Amino acid sequence: DVKVTQSSRYLVKRTGEKVFLECVQDMDHENMFWYRQDPGLGLRLIYFSYDVKMKEKGDIPEGYSVSREKKERFSLILESASTNQTSMYLCASSLYQAKFFGPGTRLTVL
Amino acid sequence: DAKTTQPTSMDCAEGRAANLPCNHSTISGNEYVYWYRQIHSQGPQYIIHGLKNNETNEMASLIITEDRKSSTLILPHATLRDTAVYYCITANSGGSNYKLTFGKGTLLTVNP
């Protein structure tokens, strides 16, 4: 079974802090993704990566950056957390069409 | 991606088959039909996908109409753990399939 793990299930940070969300997949997938999910807004793509050190902006990249130094690991970075970044963050990986998601990180920014 | 239409909610008795419909009348020829589900407070889970032919895996069956304008996801023996929001989406395969737009989905409630 494909396994996608995220570093934390719940995280509470203060405004202005730098936040790192880590995602690791164990299936040697080329593609990895970061989404955020908010009530009424559905799933929105922040960034994706189709290879090591490669990244592409999704629909809402502002306020975020990413890092993919190794194939299995894709990190999402909030340079200076703000309250409007309070959300559920979901990482996913895929080889072809089907995406496999991690359990999610519920981030609260106070 | 083509838009899909699903009922807002459905109920099913435990042990019975759950049949979840989806309309995707504007699907284009190279778009696949995907089904995912999301149990409360968890990440979405991939279930199955197909292009034209019916598909079956250990989780479910997918029936796609001949004109590809609609499909049905079948959970053959629903359990309480199948209670979740089920999302039907259509998307291209390959390099353009980076985005994944979930609509509102169908809340399936499996009752004892």
Side-chain angles (χ1 to χ4, degrees), chain A residues 80-94:
Chain A
S80 177
S82 63
T83 55
N84 62 13
Q85 292 178 310
T86 291
S87 186
M88 168 72 92
Y89 289 88
L90 292 159
C91 174
S93 73
S94 73

Side-chain angles (χ1 to χ4, degrees), chain A residues 61-75:
Chain A
E62 296 77 21
Y64 304 94
S65 62
V66 290
S67 172
R68 188 144 181 224
E69 297 296 320
K70 293 184 178 181
K71 192 174 187 180
E72 68 271 17
R73 189 178 297 268
F74 191 34
S75 302

Side-chain angles (χ1 to χ4, degrees), chain A residues 37-97:
Chain A
Q37 187 173 33
D38 302 286
L41 296 177
L43 215 60
R44 293 182 291 169
L45 180 65
I46 305 172
Y47 267 98
F48 64 92
S49 168
Y50 51 89
D51 201 352
V52 175
K53 296 191 186 294
M54 305 301 288
K55 59 186 179 185
E56 292 286 341
K57 292 179 180 178
D59 296 320
I60 50 162
E62 296 77 21
Y64 304 94
S65 62
V66 290
S67 172
R68 188 144 181 224
E69 297 296 320
K70 293 184 178 181
K71 192 174 187 180
E72 68 271 17
R73 189 178 297 268
F74 191 34
S75 302
L76 180 70
I77 302 149
L78 286 66
E79 296 292 341
S80 177
S82 63
T83 55
N84 62 13
Q85 292 178 310
T86 291
S87 186
M88 168 72 92
Y89 289 88
L90 292 159
C91 174
S93 73
S94 73
L95 183 57
Y96 298 112
Q97 300 100 329

Side-chain angles (χ1 to χ4, degrees), chain B:
Chain B
D1 294 344
K3 185 176 176 179
T4 62
T5 306
Q6 299 176 252
T8 304
S9 63
M10 294 181 65
D11 286 310
C12 177
E14 189 178 17
R16 304 296 293 267
N19 297 289
L20 292 93
C22 179
N23 287 322
H24 32 80
S25 58
T26 59
I27 191 171
S28 61
N30 60 351
E31 287 184 318
Y32 286 72
V33 180
Y34 294 82
W35 283 84
Y36 289 80
R37 72 180 182 184
Q38 190 167 22
I39 297 167
H40 184 61
S41 294
Q42 296 183 23
Q45 179 187 22
Y46 164 78
I47 301 173
I48 199 168
H49 74 280
L51 183 63
K52 294 182 192 178
N53 301 320
N54 298 338
E55 302 287 344
T56 296
N57 63 20
E58 65 279 2
M59 288 183 69
S61 295
L62 174 61
I63 308 297
I64 303 173
T65 57
E66 195 169 337
D67 63 8
R68 302 208 328 121
K69 293 184 177 182
S70 65
S71 60
T72 301
L73 179 75
I74 301 171
L75 308 178
H77 305 286
T79 70
L80 300 179
R81 294 172 65 177
D82 292 322
T83 292
V85 179
Y86 287 77
Y87 298 99
C88 163
I89 68 165
T90 57
N92 291 314
S93 63
S96 63
N97 183 26
Y98 289 122
K99 297 187 179 183
L100 195 68
T101 304
F102 284 3
K104 292 192 162 83
T106 297
L107 172 60
L108 174 69
T109 303
V110 181
N111 300 305

